[in-house]
């Protein structure tokens, strides 16, 4: 049961690794919030188990065998999406987890909004500016083609996101109200 809900009605959420424990639970949470869930996993059986559980509980889901590192595996699924949201817990999760996909989507004329929640300032080694990861994510997403106005960077403290989940939820609600995303990626 989700302790708080964001309305994801009429949205499709793609969860990579959705046949696993953590991302499987995340898939179920999105379904509880009204999303249609595309459950991706290297194992179609694992993806289907999660999807079947969602459907059994009244949600809409479908399992897919997909390797996010293989172009052909993803192409068939993402052709119809035009307004994409990337939710990255840390500044490098999005570009490391799906940088090629982001670049391809933008090259195809899709709008990609990239949200990073932590700049991990506490983890930056001595001798580097504390905002180095903020600078790096701006540069990296710029290379991928993300427009500066579509890059949102929060400075929540690393490893303590659970302490500010209500604040994060409120920010996500604002972002959702101002946009019409039809695909959400949560790279890990």
């Amino acid at each position: 049961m989700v302790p708080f809900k964001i309305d994801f009605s009429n949205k499709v959420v793609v969860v990579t690794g959705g046949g696993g424990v953590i991302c499987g639970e995340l898939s179920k949470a999105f379904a509880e919030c009204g999303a249609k869930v595309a459950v991706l996993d290297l194992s179609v059986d694992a993806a289907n188990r999660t999807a079947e559980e969602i459907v059994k509980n009244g949600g809409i889901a479908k399992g897919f065998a997909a390797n996010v590192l293989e172009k052909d595996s993803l192409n068939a699924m993402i052709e119809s999406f035009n307004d994409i949201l990337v939710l990255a817990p840390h500044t490098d999760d999005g570009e490391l987890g799906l940088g090629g996909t982001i670049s391809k989507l933008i090259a195809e004329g899709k709008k990609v909004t990239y949200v990073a929640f932590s700049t991990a300032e506490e983890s930056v080694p001595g001798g580097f500016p504390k905002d180095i990861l903020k600078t790096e994510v701006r540069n990296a997403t710029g290379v991928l083609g993300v427009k500066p106005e579509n890059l949102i960077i929060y400075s929540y403290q690393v490893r303590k996101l659970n302490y500010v989940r209500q604040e994060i939820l409120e920010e996500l609600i604002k972002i959702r109200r101002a946009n019409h995303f039809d695909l959400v990626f949560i790279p890990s």
Side-chain angles (χ1 to χ4, degrees):
M1 179 115 180
V2 182
F4 50 83
K5 291 188 180 181
I6 299 175
D7 182 13
F8 276 91
S9 301
N10 301 313
K11 303 295 178 200
V12 176
V13 175
V14 177
V15 180
T16 59
V21 176
I22 294 171
C23 292
E25 290 302 314
L26 187 60
S27 298
K28 295 171 198 172
F30 274 114
E32 277 187 49
C33 294
K36 298 172 188 165
V37 183
V39 181
L40 279 61
D41 202 279
L42 292 174
S43 164
V44 71
D45 292 334
N48 283 335
R49 276 192 298 274
T50 299
E52 288 166 7
E53 190 171 339
I54 290 169
V55 170
K56 182 177 103 178
N57 289 311
I60 299 172
K62 182 169 180 165
F64 296 91
N67 182 344
V68 296
L69 299 176
E70 293 180 7
K71 178 174 73 170
D72 293 339
S73 183
L74 292 175
N75 281 345
M77 287 184 7
I78 60 176
E79 286 180 358
S80 65
F81 301 114
N82 294 303
D83 197 350
I84 295 94
L85 175 62
V86 176
L87 297 175
H90 309 99
T91 53
D92 60 358
D93 290 339
E95 59 270 27
L96 291 176
L98 68 145
T101 302
I102 292 170
S103 180
K104 180 182 186 322
L105 290 167
I106 291 170
E108 292 176 353
K110 317 279 184 176
K111 176 187 171 201
V112 175
T113 301
Y114 187 110
V115 179
F117 292 99
S118 176
T119 56
E121 291 181 3
E122 301 84 7
S123 302
V124 174
F128 290 96
K130 288 294 183 189
D131 68 347
I132 188 72
L133 298 176
K134 193 180 286 188
T135 301
E136 286 181 1
V137 74
R138 283 188 182 114
N139 292 339
T141 55
V143 168
L144 295 174
V146 176
K147 293 179 179 177
E149 62 268 22
N150 294 338
L151 174 62
I152 302 168
I153 306 170
Y154 295 103
S155 295
Y156 293 110
Q157 195 173 2
V158 70
R159 292 183 197 86
K160 296 192 177 180
L161 296 176
N162 56 323
Y163 297 126
V164 290
R165 67 178 172 217
Q166 187 61 39
E167 282 180 52
I168 292 171
L169 172 64
E170 290 170 14
E171 291 301 320
L172 287 172
I173 290 169
K174 287 179 198 171
I175 292 168
R176 187 201 173 281
R177 285 184 178 151
N179 295 278
H180 300 285
F181 302 113
D182 51 15
L183 178 62
V184 178
F185 282 111
I186 306 175
S188 58

